[in-house]
Amino acid sequence: MKRFSLRILFYLAAAIVLVALPSLVRSNYWLGTIDLAIIYSIAVLGLNIVLGLTGQLNIAQAAFWGIGAYTAALLNTRLGWPFWATLLAAPPMAGAFGVMLGFPTLRLSGRYLALATIGFGIIINLILHNWKEFTGGADGIPGIASPVLGPFKFSTNASFYYLGLACLIIAALAQLKIKNSRMGRAFQAVKENELAAELSGVNAFKYRVIAFALCSAYGGLAGQLFAHRTKFVSAETFFIDMSILFICMLMIGGVGSIAGAIVGASLLTFIPEWLRFLQGPWAMAIFGLAIIFMMVFMPDGLAGLTRSIVQRIAARINPDGQEAAGRPSSGRIGATGEGK
Amino acid sequence: MFDVTTFAQLFVTGLAMGSIYALVALSFALLYKAVGILNFAVGEFVMVPGFISVVLLTTLKVPFLWAYLVTLGLMVFFGAVFQRTVYHPLRGRPFVTVLVSTIGASLFLRNTSLLTFGADPRVSPGLFTAKTVSFFGVFVPPQYLLIIATLIVLVVFQYLLFEKTLLGKKMQATAQDRDMARLLGIPVDTIILITFIYASLLGGISGILLAPVFYVTADMGFMIALKAFASSIAGGLGSIPGAIVGGLFIGVVELFCAAYISATYKDVFAFVILIAVLLLRPQGFFGEKIAEKA
Amino acid sequence: MSRIRTVYVLSTVFLLFPLLAAHGEAQTEKSVRIGLITEQTGVAAPSGERGIRATKLAEKQLNAAGGVNGSRIQVITYDNNSATQGTVNAVNKAIEDKVIALSGPGRSTHVQAVSPIIKENAIPALIAGTAVQLTRQGNPWLFRVRPDDSINGTAMAEFMAKDLKLTRIGILHDADAFGTGGADVVAEALKKYSQAPVRRERYTAGTKDYTAQLLNIKNAGAEGVVLYTTNAEDAAIVFRQIKELGINWKIVGCPAALSQVVVDLVKDASEGAYGAVDYFAEASPQARVFREGYFKEYNQEPDFQSAYPYDSLMLLADVMRRAGTTTDRNKTRDTILATRGYKGAMGTFNFTSNGDGIHDAHLIQMKGGKPRFIRTISVGQK
């Protein structure tokens, strides 16, 4: 059928572009930026579970990102654990902290929870910064090793790209699975109407904590990748301004949408670099204005925008109102136009 | 170390810092109460008038009273513009959207300030020539006394405004139930605009008071905003007296913790208090019992 | 609505931009490009601005004198937003733009973050982070143009113990790498005089009130205090509060504590304070000349945050003149290390094999709002 093969063709094209990207882009600097965008995307995907699926505002994602990074850094530099081992250790560690934060605070309502997460994030940051004996204090932890697989070392931006991309794809697919699973529907129910959910036998609190744990685990994964890529971690990177940026990324990409999370993260990683030619404060000031602008004109983010455009194109192709084959939102990880 | 003089010194300084936190928390809580938003640009509400007053006093050599009046006048304008651009197009949207918008505003303001006023920290001349006043071995800069006094005056003024004037009552009504207020014929949009302007003026007063004692930089708003959040929560989000008490409480307690426990983690204490309050008594000191879900 | 369509089109263009942008900027054949990694935005913008001004001044002076080996010097500024990750992005961009050398980063944690990148790309970087280990981690491409913390800290300790004859010394320092490292060095150096600090207090940058820390030090019976502060506003508040609390200490500050920004802010609150400074206008003819040129151009008094970037560019130019070629990195490196007796605004540069260029600390005292020279302490050279 025409619809079927068009979709396949599209996925194939996307796959080719993604695999060939390093050769297409060539520039080491832009590849480095893309690597960073991938890492941020994973962190923002985590945020999507909590904010998008369960409707809770978490302004501490950078802290979990940091916990993941420091876990990887410490295990690698102090105990010699390789990349693949820290990959398995960092997300659960961050997840555990997520539960630790979630348990006492998730009974609070949205705005209160938001402020509690701010406090948590700051406390974590200060501990990372000041506990010299354990975390290296202000000096940070240098000398983290690059991932190694047999004879092959992932030390360049291009090689790391593939590693990061693989993790991102797995993370996104996992979230897609979660979204469509029973757990995902429970998240949705809690978000839409908690009272009704409870009456239907859904333990709201339990699901909120799970969502929080998943969110922080994603953050931890992003942190682990970050640590092995930049080979140095210091507490000042994992501060509330990054948490705030992650939220902006999600909102601009489109909260609730997996593709949105990735697009938002990528866009907000690239924009400051594109604006570099503007010299300093001009770039950041324009960036600030752009954020306001995007909130005003694109409240559902880019994903929502794309969705409405696709719907209108579809309506025009198929005036009977049937679902027609439209181009998936951003072509990255498949059609996620469904459900906010 | 546990002598009375040290104790008193810490207490007075804590009150002064706490008064600043209280003023900013007040601005923050007001907007939360009136329109339900978390204004992440509240720090810039303090930074902008700080710079304006510095420039007026130092570069343009305007006399004190005029400088302060002009600054406050400009803050009226600032509040109105802020409301129109950052909030008004987004009214009715989920609060996260507005939150992100205020973040964009904060970024914009910080960097335009950098472009306009430059990167060097600025200090403004204070009203007082005497550096400190001393009571029984406790050294107090007169500016601190002014800050505390201003808070007291403002609290009284605000009480009178909200309880005794028609405008104040309309503001309260709009905050409590917007739709009802509209039905009663209250011009809700105008009242909201006025609320923003008032919140902006509170920031203006804070900025003017702060500029002589702490140096004004483009990024100063960030930490101030965080302390304001903590104060609001401690006192009870949405509670006006709560913001004030919360601010003073945080100001004093964090200083005592810094002196007697550990100075490095001074900032941590404010947030530990915040979390403790949220866990043990989420409504803070004064808030009403809050529902579990937003 | 067509408005949404426009926005959508714009966004799509944005997303495609990286592919288009990968072509980089046009290269001017006859210019030598130096990348200045600095803070144009963010909390450290004040110090960054001074560095940019000084570097631009040096660029102007060098080009007016005919450039280097017939080529123009072109300084390209890269903003790091006062952040570690920002520094990584900035350095990557600079390398992409094919600069032949870097001036900066100026902060220890920033240098630490980009050290692997600099090593991998074999690009010479004139750094100003003062954490001692930066030049001892096996990166042959880092060249330090400021005395490291061991030098300033040791000089300060020696001065307090020998010259001021103090026995009860307190330390107040920023909790970051610079402050903590410096405090450690001072504490260690005091051991030589059979002393230990009576009290150590730290604070996080941006703290607005130091009453607690100052009272703690006072109550421990300190007669003098060492200030190891990173940011100007923090140092300024500390000076002011010491005065307000009526405490009568002998104060010895690290270079950042008595920077020009601080002195301008506190005016007489810093009167009588001592400091170890990297740069002092009256310490040498070169320093004086630099100061005059800077003041004439910007109507601003320069301090070390202007001096070392100035020296960085001038030194690079001198190195390239001596090395002859402008593109062979290894030759550049060897020539830098072979530098002996190069007189810059900061002092005399004698590079040791690990890349440290300056080993002097100048002790000064603030008198009448101006620093007055006491003596120079030279610390251990290899």
Side-chain angles (χ1 to χ4, degrees):
Chain A
M1 275 177 276
K2 188 177 176 191
R3 178 206 305 187
F4 187 61
S5 61
L6 201 66
R7 199 168 262 202
I8 290 282
L9 201 66
F10 185 81
Y11 285 143
L12 206 60
I16 291 176
V17 168
L18 283 177
V19 166
L21 199 65
S23 349
L24 288 175
V25 172
R26 277 178 190 290
S27 149
N28 196 48
Y29 160 68
W30 284 111
L31 277 174
T33 312
I34 290 174
D35 282 349
L36 202 58
I38 290 177
I39 290 173
Y40 289 160
S41 298
I42 295 177
V44 176
L45 272 176
L47 208 54
N48 193 35
I49 296 178
V50 151
L51 186 54
L53 299 184
T54 336
Q56 307 259 278
L57 185 54
N58 171 12
I59 312 185
Q61 187 67 335
F64 300 114
W65 183 43
I67 290 171
Y70 266 86
T71 306
L74 287 168
L75 289 173
N76 180 265
T77 57
R78 307 268 169 95
L79 296 179
W81 286 30
F83 173 84
W84 310 102
T86 60
L87 184 64
L88 295 172
M93 178 64 111
F97 274 86
V99 174
M100 202 167 81
L101 170 63
F103 230 84
T105 57
L106 281 168
R107 296 188 194 278
L108 300 170
S109 72
R111 288 162 183 75
Y112 289 81
L113 174 65
L115 290 161
T117 57
I118 291 179
F120 178 80
I122 299 210
I123 292 173
I124 293 286
N125 175 268
L126 282 170
I127 293 175
L128 288 174
H129 191 89
N130 289 298
W131 195 0
K132 187 149 195 202
E133 301 73 28
F134 189 56
T135 64
D139 289 332
I141 302 179
I144 305 170
S146 290
V148 171
L149 187 63
F152 189 71
K153 200 169 169 193
F154 290 88
S155 57
T156 61
N157 286 340
S159 55
F160 198 91
Y161 163 78
Y162 290 112
L163 206 55
L165 187 66
C167 289
L168 179 61
I169 291 176
I170 294 173
L173 288 176
Q175 189 167 126
L176 193 59
K177 206 109 211 273
I178 291 172
K179 215 171 168 182
N180 294 326
S181 74
R182 191 163 165 270
M183 183 155 64
R185 285 194 293 278
F187 288 156
Q188 196 104 337
V190 167
K191 175 178 160 192
E192 297 293 338
N193 190 333
E194 186 172 326
L195 190 57
E198 290 270 359
L199 288 172
S200 317
V202 172
N203 182 342
F205 180 69
K206 167 177 143 194
Y207 281 102
R208 287 215 206 142
V209 175
I210 293 177
F212 229 78
L214 285 171
C215 168
S216 42
Y218 269 72
L221 173 62
Q224 186 261 3
L225 289 171
F226 181 77
H228 284 280
R229 196 193 145 254
T230 53
K231 308 206 192 76
F232 168 69
V233 291
S234 68
E236 59 211 38
T237 313
F238 310 109
F239 193 51
I240 187 176
D241 53 343
M242 279 312 291
S243 295
I244 292 175
L245 189 64
F246 287 150
I247 293 180
C248 290
M249 288 173 173
L250 184 60
M251 294 301 292
I252 284 169
V255 61
S257 152
I258 292 174
I262 298 173
V263 169
S266 307
L267 201 63
L268 290 201
T269 309
F270 291 132
I271 290 182
E273 298 301 317
W274 291 328
L275 292 176
R276 214 174 249 288
F277 67 93
L278 278 177
Q279 292 293 302
W282 285 106
M284 298 309 284
I286 290 179
F287 188 39
L289 269 184
I291 291 177
I292 301 180
F293 178 83
M294 286 190 260
M295 283 295 99
V296 170
F297 292 111
M298 298 191 299
D300 291 327
L302 287 167
L305 186 68
T306 322
R307 206 175 303 132
S308 56
I309 291 175
V310 164
Q311 274 169 9
R312 273 187 294 121
I313 295 176
R316 217 174 291 166
I317 294 176
N318 234 332
D320 310 339
Q322 261 186 312
E323 267 233 330
R327 194 163 62 74
S329 44
S330 69
R332 300 244 186 166
I333 308 291
T336 49
E338 81 260 61
K340 241 168 77 155
Chain B
M1 203 160 88
F2 290 89
D3 58 301
V4 181
T5 322
T6 309
F7 210 82
Q9 185 77 56
L10 290 170
F11 190 69
V12 173
T13 310
L15 274 184
M17 286 310 299
S19 300
I20 296 286
Y21 296 159
L23 283 172
V24 186
L26 204 54
S27 170
F28 182 72
L30 211 64
L31 285 180
Y32 174 72
K33 199 168 151 103
V35 286
I37 66 167
L38 294 177
N39 176 16
F40 269 45
V42 68
E44 280 65 50
F45 277 33
V46 178
M47 181 267 289
V48 169
F51 267 112
I52 295 177
S53 67
V54 165
V55 168
L56 286 173
L57 287 170
T58 52
T59 316
L60 299 176
K61 304 252 192 286
V62 176
F64 281 107
L65 191 62
W66 285 111
Y68 293 159
L69 286 175
V70 169
T71 306
L72 290 176
L74 286 171
M75 286 314 283
V76 168
F77 180 66
F78 176 83
V81 171
F82 190 86
Q83 193 262 356
R84 281 284 139 193
T85 54
V86 178
Y87 169 75
H88 194 74
L90 295 168
R91 66 195 183 287
R93 303 258 188 88
F95 87 96
V96 187
T97 312
V98 184
L99 187 102
V100 173
S101 182
T102 62
I103 291 170
S106 166
L107 195 59
F108 174 72
L109 288 168
R110 271 186 280 155
N111 283 281
T112 32
S113 162
L114 205 54
L115 288 168
T116 319
F117 301 111
D120 281 338
R122 307 280 199 105
V123 64
S124 79
L127 282 171
F128 309 100
T129 44
K131 280 298 162 120
T132 52
V133 174
S134 145
F135 296 99
F136 303 106
V138 176
F139 295 88
V140 185
Q143 189 74 7
Y144 282 14
L145 295 173
L146 179 65
I147 292 173
I148 298 174
T150 308
L151 182 68
I152 296 173
V153 168
L154 198 71
V155 168
V156 172
F157 165 78
Q158 196 168 279
Y159 172 76
L160 292 173
L161 174 72
F162 282 161
E163 299 298 325
K164 305 287 180 199
T165 67
L166 191 58
L167 175 64
K169 296 225 179 98
K170 283 185 187 169
M171 285 167 81
Q172 283 198 66
T174 312
Q176 274 170 21
D177 190 334
R178 204 181 306 182
D179 295 320
M180 192 60 183
R182 204 171 274 136
L183 284 173
L184 291 173
I186 294 177
V188 163
D189 285 340
T190 315
I191 295 289
I192 290 180
L193 180 64
I194 294 177
T195 312
F196 266 86
I197 291 176
Y198 183 66
S200 174
L201 281 173
L202 286 172
I205 295 172
S206 310
I208 291 174
L209 288 173
L210 264 185
V213 284
F214 302 119
Y215 307 103
V216 185
T217 58
D219 280 299
M220 67 188 276
F222 187 66
M223 222 36 203
I224 292 176
L226 289 178
K227 295 293 168 66
F229 300 157
S231 308
S232 274
I233 285 284
L237 194 57
S239 156
I240 302 301
I244 297 168
V245 173
L248 292 172
F249 179 72
I250 298 242
V252 172
V253 171
E254 83 174 354
L255 207 55
F256 273 86
C257 290
Y260 294 116
I261 305 178
S262 162
T264 332
Y265 289 96
K266 186 173 105 154
D267 293 323
V268 178
F269 294 119
F271 298 103
V272 170
I273 294 171
L274 179 155
I275 292 194
V277 168
L278 281 170
L279 297 179
L280 301 171
R281 196 187 154 89
Q283 64 271 38
F285 298 132
F286 290 98
E288 308 98 24
K289 264 245 166 278
I290 52 162
E292 275 187 6
K293 175 125 194 349
Chain C
M1 280 173 272
S2 61
R3 185 217 277 165
I4 293 188
R5 197 158 296 169
T6 328
V7 173
Y8 179 62
V9 169
L10 281 172
S11 326
T12 321
V13 169
F14 266 149
L15 285 167
L16 291 175
F17 209 89
L19 293 174
L20 303 170
H23 290 122
E25 307 171 13
Q27 284 253 41
T28 329
E29 283 319 310
K30 292 228 109 210
S31 72
V32 172
R33 314 171 101 195
I34 312 276
L36 175 63
I37 311 291
T38 186
E39 293 83 16
Q40 276 177 306
T41 55
V43 288
S47 45
E49 188 176 64
R50 283 165 177 266
I52 296 170
R53 287 184 169 178
T55 313
K56 292 282 176 194
L57 177 67
E59 178 189 25
K60 189 169 159 191
Q61 290 175 347
L62 283 169
N63 285 331
V68 168
N69 302 340
S71 303
R72 263 187 76 239
I73 301 265
Q74 187 188 5
V75 171
I76 310 178
T77 312
Y78 296 93
D79 180 21
N80 67 4
N81 201 23
S82 305
T84 313
Q85 186 56 41
T87 311
V88 171
N89 295 345
V91 168
N92 275 325
K93 184 84 178 44
I95 292 176
E96 178 90 348
D97 288 344
K98 299 200 178 11
V99 300
I100 64 134
L102 298 173
S103 174
R107 297 221 166 182
S108 300
T109 33
H110 297 174
V111 174
Q112 192 72 273
V114 296
S115 181
I117 304 173
I118 290 175
K119 188 170 174 184
E120 232 173 81
N121 287 277
I123 182 166
L126 298 184
I127 61 165
T130 55
V132 177
Q133 72 268 23
L134 291 177
T135 49
R136 287 169 174 69
Q137 287 172 331
N139 185 338
W141 298 97
L142 299 178
F143 307 97
R144 203 191 322 243
V145 294
R146 283 185 65 197
D148 68 36
D149 285 331
S150 67
I151 295 169
N152 277 317
T154 311
M156 285 159 73
E158 179 180 317
F159 182 69
M160 287 192 105
K162 276 172 59 182
D163 295 50
L164 298 178
K165 303 211 186 340
L166 298 172
T167 52
R168 305 176 61 81
I169 298 172
I171 306 181
L172 176 63
H173 68 96
D174 193 317
D176 71 359
F178 174 71
T180 314
D184 288 342
V185 167
V186 172
E188 184 66 29
L190 282 174
K191 285 192 191 154
K192 229 172 38 174
Y193 305 96
S194 310
Q195 279 195 48
V198 298
R199 182 85 189 192
R200 243 178 97 147
E201 288 285 333
R202 45 187 190 161
Y203 65 88
T204 21
T207 301
K208 295 270 170 257
D209 180 86
Y210 300 85
T211 312
Q213 291 92 332
L214 293 174
L215 286 181
N216 281 344
I217 297 177
K218 174 176 169 208
N219 288 330
E223 11 165 43
V225 73
V226 166
L227 295 182
Y228 237 97
T229 57
T230 310
N231 292 328
E233 309 94 78
D234 302 337
I237 300 178
V238 170
F239 272 113
R240 222 199 59 231
Q241 287 192 324
I242 291 178
K243 192 127 190 254
E244 278 167 5
L245 289 171
I247 306 178
N248 217 355
W249 287 324
K250 297 244 190 303
I251 304 173
V252 177
C254 69
L258 283 174
S259 70
Q260 197 56 45
V261 181
V262 177
V263 174
D264 288 338
L265 284 174
V266 298
K267 304 189 178 45
D268 52 325
S270 63
E271 183 69 13
Y274 302 93
V277 295
D278 297 357
Y279 161 76
F280 183 66
E282 300 304 316
S284 71
Q286 286 74 23
R288 212 170 292 134
V289 166
F290 160 67
R291 187 231 163 238
E292 272 156 26
Y294 187 90
F295 192 82
K296 188 156 160 230
E297 183 85 3
Y298 298 112
N299 202 25
Q300 187 187 51
E301 199 64 47
D303 62 11
F304 75 96
Q305 284 168 342
S306 307
Y308 77 75
Y310 181 83
D311 276 351
S312 294
L313 197 64
M314 288 304 206
L315 181 64
L316 271 174
D318 182 73
V319 162
M320 286 189 286
R321 268 186 219 117
R322 278 185 280 139
T325 99
T326 54
T327 50
D328 182 342
R329 304 249 178 103
N330 277 305
K331 192 139 187 244
T332 312
R333 174 173 182 266
D334 293 337
T335 316
I336 295 178
L337 289 178
T339 307
R340 293 276 180 283
Y342 172 84
K343 293 194 186 310
M346 298 276 290
T348 309
F349 284 82
N350 287 307
F351 276 90
T352 53
S353 57
N354 67 325
D356 284 313
I358 281 225
H359 307 269
D360 299 336
H362 311 290
L363 271 308
I364 56 108
Q365 186 183 25
M366 295 304 298
K367 284 259 175 233
K370 296 209 171 302
R372 231 200 17 189
F373 187 62
I374 302 179
R375 67 183 180 101
T376 303
I377 299 182
S378 281
V379 179
Q381 248 161 274
K382 275 186 289 274

